[in-house]
Amino acid sequence: MTMQNELGAGPRGAGAPRRAAEGGMKMKPQINRMRTKGSEIMEGHYEEILRARQDGKLVAWGFGNPATEILEAMGIVEMHTGNHSARLAAAQVSHLLIEEAMGEGFSADLCSYAKINIGVALYLVRGKMGQLPERLQVPRPDFLFATSHCPIYTMWVEVIRRILDVPVFVIDVPYTYNDDKRWEQNLAFMEGQLRDLVAFLERLTGRPYDWAALKEIQQRLREMSQIRREIQELSRQVPAVRSIFDAIGSFGPSNTASIRCRPEAMEFFKRFKAELEQRVASGAAVLPEGEEVRLGWRGVFPWFIMGHLSRLTAQEKAVIVGSAQYGGRQYGWTGRERLPPDGIDPGQPLKTCAVQLLTNLFHPLTFQQRWQTEVVEWNEGFKLDGIVFHAPRTCRPWSYWSYDLADKAEKELGIPAIVIEADHADPQFYSEAQVDVRLQAFIETIKSRKRARERGKGPAPEQAPEKRQLEL
Amino acid sequence: MDDAVKRLVQDFVEVSQDPYRYLASWKQTHQQRLIAMVGMHIPEEIVHAAGALPVTLPHFGEPIVHASFRLQGFFCAYARSVLEAGLRGALAFADGIVLNDICHTIRATTGILERESERMPWLRFLWLPPDIGKPQALAYAVRELEGFRTDLEGVVGHPITDEALWQSIAMYNRQRRLLRRLYQTRRDRPGVLSAREMGAVVTAGMLTPKEDHANRVARLLEMMEGHERQSVRGAVPLVISGSLCEAPPDEILGLIEDVGGVVVDDDLFTGSRSFVTDVPEDGGNPLEALARAYLGMVAPCPTRHRDGWDLGNYLVQMAQHSHARGVVVMIVKYCEPHDYYKPMVERTLEQAGIASLFLETEHEDMEMGQVRTRLQAFVESLRAPRVSERMA
């Protein structure tokens, strides 16, 4: 593959991403960003984690999408390792942690979130945490908590267990294959494990489990998921009143660690919705100079270039409006058909957790399920002109099927699609020039196709705008 | 080498040398159904009890062309090669394909085969709990195997009885015992079979009818135990490990012994990993016995999780038990699960004072000159008298 070959030739463990192409941009595009941002709430969350010990709280590191509310009800603070790795990538320091892990013999091919987190664990035991700015620091966990949604979590958590020598609790989550036949079996399996988790937490804290607190949290999660659905509806406006770059700020509060269980998160979504309503009413578009192309983004983002991507697309009068990952399939979004009417029933707290663990965003889907939820539904909801499939070099679940899904989107929906190969958190697998050129060309092709269609002599929709090809 | 032994070994080699052609021609000359399995931990006794020939798909030797458009180059070449075989129609000999959820790559492969299901044989995906130490795992695994049995009955068109399952289990246990005896013979008389020959013997067992294979291994053992075949002298005893879902490149096995090493034991997929765990034969539900064997697997697997499990310690014990001086670990390129464990295994071996060499292997484009040099240096470093020996 072209990109792998070129990158493979370069030095491994190279520093933060290059910014060369940025100087070449035509002019600064106008972007009307939302004022309500999730970042404040996330800063508070990391401050809480850092001072947890002095507040007398236990800290867990979460891998995957553990049933955080089960911990939260016992006053345990959870740091989501994936979120922290993304945070370090966004702060342009992930390469330091990756170098630390690779220096220990870990392969560059491991998931970048894992490499970064292994680096963090090594920083902790080597007394190097102080080398990171305080807002990026995290304390040693009291225990590790993983789900096997992603098969690598059990391996990653084992590495961290050995480095930090702390207890681990793993919840096995069955893959969705053949789900309907196995549903009852899956549910019983999950509930059994969750009961063991409760007993584990009781042993750890020396206190009986606080069921009342759990129900209260789930009630809040239920209300929050309703607000998020309303936000999703408001986000379908044409032209877009919010871009995905506004929406990802809400990803932390909706999905990550302890923070998603808190009243502050609820307040945040209320403000977010109010601002959206205001923007709809006043016709405030993301791109005040005009929106020509509406793009969907499939897959995790390359966190270290988000600002750059936002400017680049705006430059081309394109807005990334929808993403199957950010805004959908998050906690409380799914499971409605399994546990009517909301997928969350505080009267059945463990069943609620089980249903959510078996259906939510982190739950890997089969090809058909992915096609339906990540392409078809998002295309319908957001009136997309094209879809960008990000195939991160070190994240297999977001990489595989990219080419098949893109191919199917073009053939069956007549919607242009492109596969971009970069990475979610490791700058060494990202070539800015490549990604920029391909994205710009893709947007340009969509524009000319739209223009041609408007003139009434457009190419047949089955003709792909660009021949994608993997090199042998 | 004794001629009779040589001829017998040659039969194994022929099967394993061009497996896809062997399987295609087997299918043409037999009325039996053939079920192909991809990767580790599939309880094939159930397939056997169904009256079908269970076959573990090896690496498909043809260049990866079609699969390159579907699954990127950073997924392991084993899975990509199997996908290539599927897309080329080279799996037509199979009446069914069974895949087990061991890693992302298998999930990826399954999805693409499924998209092409119209031109594929019957597909079945298994999910067995990866955390094998969990109290809930046994009930789940039994249910999963029950579902597998039912689906398989639909394919073969007749029930798979408990009696048939127990017979298959007994037959598989016999084969495993025989292979363990063969390995004991190699530990006792290093070099009695070369690493390549041993690889061929085990691999042939994954491709041919088990009864025949077990009988041939029994005959081989008889001949070898009867004749006082000399073991090699002066070679450096080594353990080889890794290559979790496929046979390692044959050239590497040859090189290890060409440069002065002798393989005395192994922890390979096409080696001891395939026969170290027996299925308990204690009556009751045979599917539960199979589930218990899965959950009680002896060789630590990077894709599975159990408290206190340690692949490094397992290798240390193997090296000590077989008096090996070093361990060569072969990690299939882009095998992410194995990659996670590499530094820990390396450290454990080092702490136990056992030398190790890690090779990243692939069937295409491997620079064998470089591998030879590294192996040569490794074996030479172990041949040098140790400090303690010099002092004496």
Side-chain angles (χ1 to χ4, degrees):
Chain A
M1 241 172 285
T2 320
M3 185 171 293
Q4 265 66 54
N5 291 344
E6 283 184 10
L7 290 172
R12 290 212 147 177
R18 288 170 295 113
R19 284 269 166 265
E22 217 150 281
M25 281 197 174
K26 296 166 205 162
M27 55 180 167
K28 204 175 174 203
Q30 264 199 45
I31 308 172
N32 183 6
R33 293 289 302 263
M34 285 181 67
R35 290 186 315 277
T36 314
K37 295 187 191 312
S39 49
E40 281 166 37
I41 223 174
M42 293 310 288
E43 292 303 315
H45 170 55
Y46 279 97
E47 276 168 33
E48 182 192 8
I49 293 170
L50 205 51
R51 53 155 218 270
R53 192 140 292 134
Q54 78 199 60
D55 290 351
K57 289 180 180 170
L58 295 176
V59 174
W61 279 11
F63 301 74
N65 192 25
T68 304
E69 64 270 31
I70 296 196
L71 272 57
E72 176 71 6
M74 291 296 270
I76 297 164
V77 185
E78 186 210 311
M79 183 202 86
H80 187 264
T81 49
N83 182 272
H84 186 238
S85 293
R87 183 174 168 82
L88 294 169
Q92 314 292 328
V93 297
S94 56
H95 62 287
L96 297 174
L97 289 313
I98 290 170
E99 278 163 19
E100 191 80 11
M102 286 174 66
E104 194 63 21
F106 290 95
S107 164
D109 297 322
L110 301 188
C111 163
S112 300
Y113 282 174
K115 278 181 294 185
I116 294 168
N117 186 243
I118 291 168
V120 168
L122 291 169
Y123 263 37
L124 272 171
V125 293
R126 290 169 181 173
K128 291 171 79 173
M129 193 49 84
Q131 292 180 15
L132 292 177
E134 193 174 297
R135 61 176 284 269
L136 301 177
Q137 294 177 16
V138 287
R140 190 186 176 90
D142 294 288
F143 69 100
L144 311 173
F145 182 31
T147 56
S148 66
H149 282 111
C150 175
I152 64 143
Y153 289 138
T154 57
M155 304 157 206
W156 169 5
V157 82
E158 180 62 15
V159 171
I160 302 298
R161 185 188 70 77
R162 294 202 196 192
I163 296 172
L164 297 178
D165 192 23
V166 285
V168 181
F169 195 94
V170 174
I171 291 190
D172 257 354
V173 187
Y175 185 46
T176 41
Y177 194 86
N178 223 355
D179 233 8
D180 287 328
K181 267 191 189 169
R182 302 186 310 159
W183 180 253
E184 290 305 321
Q185 168 187 356
N186 288 348
L187 205 57
F189 183 60
M190 297 307 291
E191 288 185 274
Q193 295 183 80
L194 290 167
R195 275 192 293 275
D196 286 354
L197 171 64
V198 165
F200 171 81
L201 295 178
E202 286 181 329
R203 278 198 305 278
L204 200 75
T205 58
R207 284 184 284 125
Y209 192 74
D210 192 343
W211 294 99
L214 179 61
K215 286 179 188 180
E216 191 190 315
I217 294 164
Q218 287 185 335
Q219 185 56 41
R220 191 180 303 129
L221 287 168
R222 178 150 82 172
E223 287 167 35
M224 230 190 297
S225 77
Q226 189 50 43
I227 300 175
R228 284 183 13 236
R229 279 174 185 279
E230 290 160 15
I231 288 175
Q232 193 66 16
E233 288 309 311
L234 288 165
S235 307
R236 299 188 199 281
Q237 288 300 115
V238 182
V241 290
R242 70 114 185 88
S243 75
I244 201 69
F245 301 100
D246 297 310
I248 50 164
S250 68
F251 189 53
S254 69
N255 217 17
T256 306
S258 316
I259 204 70
R260 72 171 164 81
C261 304
R262 302 280 172 78
E264 303 96 279
M266 177 86 107
E267 285 312 307
F268 167 79
F269 284 111
K270 284 181 179 164
R271 276 188 286 127
F272 196 86
K273 185 187 148 198
E275 192 189 342
L276 267 182
E277 282 168 336
Q278 207 178 34
R279 284 166 77 99
V280 172
S282 66
V286 173
L287 300 178
E289 293 160 336
E291 168 185 303
E292 291 186 20
V293 172
R294 295 167 65 80
L295 294 176
W297 183 282
R298 188 262 183 184
V300 64
F301 279 96
W303 295 113
F304 47 89
I305 51 159
M306 294 306 282
H308 172 68
L309 267 184
S310 166
R311 286 187 296 276
L312 177 90
T313 45
Q315 187 84 55
E316 304 296 326
K317 293 195 170 18
V319 59
I320 300 179
V321 289
S323 157
Q325 183 172 19
Y326 303 99
R329 278 181 64 206
Q330 294 162 1
Y331 200 97
W333 197 267
T334 53
R336 296 191 151 200
E337 55 300 330
R338 302 292 190 187
L339 184 59
D342 292 327
I344 298 178
D345 176 6
Q348 306 181 71
L350 286 192
K351 186 175 181 186
T352 293
C353 287
V355 168
Q356 288 301 323
L357 285 170
L358 286 167
T359 58
N360 73 16
L361 154 74
F362 288 87
H363 203 187
L365 302 172
T366 61
F367 182 78
Q368 265 309 322
Q369 290 168 327
R370 285 203 145 178
W371 165 248
Q372 193 56 36
T373 57
E374 293 171 7
V375 183
V376 176
E377 286 168 19
W378 288 86
N379 177 45
E380 285 166 3
F382 283 92
K383 302 185 180 69
L384 304 177
D385 298 314
I387 306 177
V388 179
F389 288 81
H390 176 209
R393 171 67 173 71
T394 68
C395 177
R396 277 80 176 164
W398 281 118
S399 281
Y400 64 69
W401 304 340
S402 292
Y403 287 91
D404 273 86
L405 290 171
D407 173 60
K408 203 169 156 75
E410 286 176 354
K411 281 186 182 145
E412 294 179 21
L413 303 177
I415 185 165
I418 190 175
V419 179
I420 295 286
E421 301 201 328
D423 196 66
H424 45 317
D426 189 345
Q428 71 180 304
F429 292 117
Y430 163 66
S431 154
E432 185 174 295
Q434 283 253 10
V435 171
D436 283 11
V437 168
R438 282 170 59 76
L439 260 182
Q440 281 164 333
F442 180 59
I443 296 169
E444 205 38 63
T445 320
I446 293 173
K447 282 183 194 164
S448 65
R449 204 157 95 153
K450 280 179 94 173
R451 282 195 294 270
R453 208 169 31 231
E454 276 155 25
R455 288 199 302 269
K457 48 183 178 183
E462 63 270 17
Q463 275 181 274
E466 188 199 349
K467 274 275 161 275
R468 288 162 303 95
Q469 189 169 330
L470 298 184
E471 229 171 59
L472 304 181
Chain B
M1 193 192 270
D2 186 280
D3 278 352
V5 174
K6 207 182 226 170
R7 273 200 303 279
L8 194 48
V9 169
Q10 192 52 35
D11 289 348
F12 293 109
V13 172
E14 269 164 26
V15 172
S16 63
Q17 242 166 15
D18 196 351
Y20 281 77
R21 189 194 297 179
Y22 166 81
L23 292 172
S25 75
W26 187 90
K27 184 65 188 174
Q28 276 175 358
T29 50
H30 293 75
Q31 291 305 307
Q32 213 180 338
R33 287 194 174 77
L34 188 157
I35 301 287
M37 299 170 296
V38 182
M40 307 181 277
H41 310 318
I42 299 171
E44 56 179 291
E45 288 89 340
I46 303 175
V47 177
H48 183 265
L53 177 71
V55 162
T56 303
L57 281 184
H59 190 95
F60 179 59
E62 299 296 319
I64 295 170
V65 180
H66 302 79
S68 284
F69 292 83
R70 313 297 287 271
L71 199 52
Q72 293 96 319
F74 49 83
F75 288 88
C76 82
Y78 167 64
R80 295 171 87 230
S81 86
V82 168
L83 183 60
E84 178 71 22
L87 296 174
R88 283 186 187 211
L91 294 180
F93 54 71
D95 297 281
I97 303 175
V98 182
L99 304 101
N100 186 19
D101 187 29
I102 45 171
C103 62
H104 283 306
T105 307
I106 295 294
R107 289 182 178 182
T109 308
T110 306
I112 299 169
L113 290 173
E114 221 173 16
R115 192 181 169 208
E116 302 291 339
S117 59
E118 279 175 16
R119 54 193 184 110
M120 291 296 156
W122 173 73
L123 280 176
R124 181 62 158 84
F125 187 82
L126 279 174
W127 192 86
L128 294 166
D131 188 342
I132 58 174
K134 261 194 193 310
Q136 292 83 9
L138 179 63
Y140 195 98
V142 173
R143 287 281 301 271
E144 183 70 7
L145 297 184
E146 279 167 359
F148 181 48
R149 163 154 81 174
T150 307
D151 289 355
L152 203 53
E153 285 171 343
V155 174
V156 296
H158 60 80
I160 303 168
T161 64
D162 281 5
E163 198 192 341
L165 280 164
W166 281 123
Q167 277 172 11
S168 297
I169 288 170
M171 221 278 304
Y172 270 74
N173 278 345
R174 173 175 176 247
Q175 190 214 21
R176 285 186 277 255
R177 276 195 304 275
L178 287 165
L179 286 170
R180 286 201 295 271
R181 245 174 73 199
L182 192 64
Y183 268 52
Q184 184 58 50
T185 309
R186 179 169 71 169
R187 277 193 295 274
D188 294 342
R189 289 185 275 160
V192 70
L193 284 180
S194 73
R196 290 176 87 142
E197 289 167 337
M198 196 60 112
V201 171
V202 180
T203 303
M206 297 175 161
L207 300 165
T208 53
K210 293 285 155 175
E211 296 81 353
D212 290 359
H213 184 258
N215 291 337
R216 279 167 203 253
V217 174
R219 215 156 65 235
L220 182 63
L221 268 167
E222 251 168 55
M223 287 179 186
M224 283 174 29
E225 284 166 353
H227 294 74
E228 270 304 307
R229 293 181 72 205
Q230 286 299 307
S231 54
V232 262
R233 290 179 192 283
V236 176
L238 298 172
V239 157
I240 52 177
S241 165
S243 220
L244 294 176
C245 285
E246 61 173 5
D250 221 28
E251 304 94 291
I252 298 184
L253 297 184
L255 278 177
I256 290 171
E257 298 190 322
D258 281 355
V259 300
V262 59
V263 174
V264 288
D265 208 343
D266 75 48
D267 164 55
L268 300 175
F269 175 66
T270 49
S272 78
R273 296 185 87 86
S274 72
F275 58 74
V276 282
T277 310
D278 273 339
V279 178
E281 288 181 73
D282 48 9
N285 178 0
L287 295 181
E288 186 179 323
L290 289 166
R292 277 195 281 137
Y294 163 74
L295 298 170
M297 64 176 76
V298 173
C301 172
T303 73
R304 308 288 100 173
H305 187 265
R306 185 199 281 157
D307 279 346
W309 234 13
D310 194 317
L311 179 55
N313 279 339
Y314 181 75
L315 292 179
V316 168
Q317 281 165 19
M318 182 178 277
Q320 286 167 345
H321 181 62
S322 60
H323 306 289
R325 284 209 193 161
V327 178
V328 178
V329 181
M330 287 171 281
I331 298 185
V332 173
K333 195 170 184 183
Y334 302 124
C335 176
E336 197 185 19
H338 207 175
D339 275 340
Y340 273 93
Y341 282 80
K342 181 200 169 224
M344 302 188 285
V345 169
E346 200 169 12
R347 162 112 9 136
T348 307
L349 286 168
E350 189 187 326
Q351 282 168 349
I354 294 167
S356 65
L357 177 71
F358 284 75
L359 297 175
E360 193 176 64
T361 63
E362 51 184 343
H363 282 264
E364 284 98 22
D365 309 325
M366 230 187 136
E367 188 26 78
M368 283 300 163
Q370 205 183 51
V371 175
R372 171 182 277 274
T373 311
R374 291 186 62 202
L375 279 168
Q376 218 156 21
F378 181 64
V379 169
E380 283 313 312
S381 74
L382 297 177
R383 196 191 297 282
R386 295 173 185 171
V387 177
S388 55
E389 288 165 354
R390 281 207 301 272
M391 298 284 280

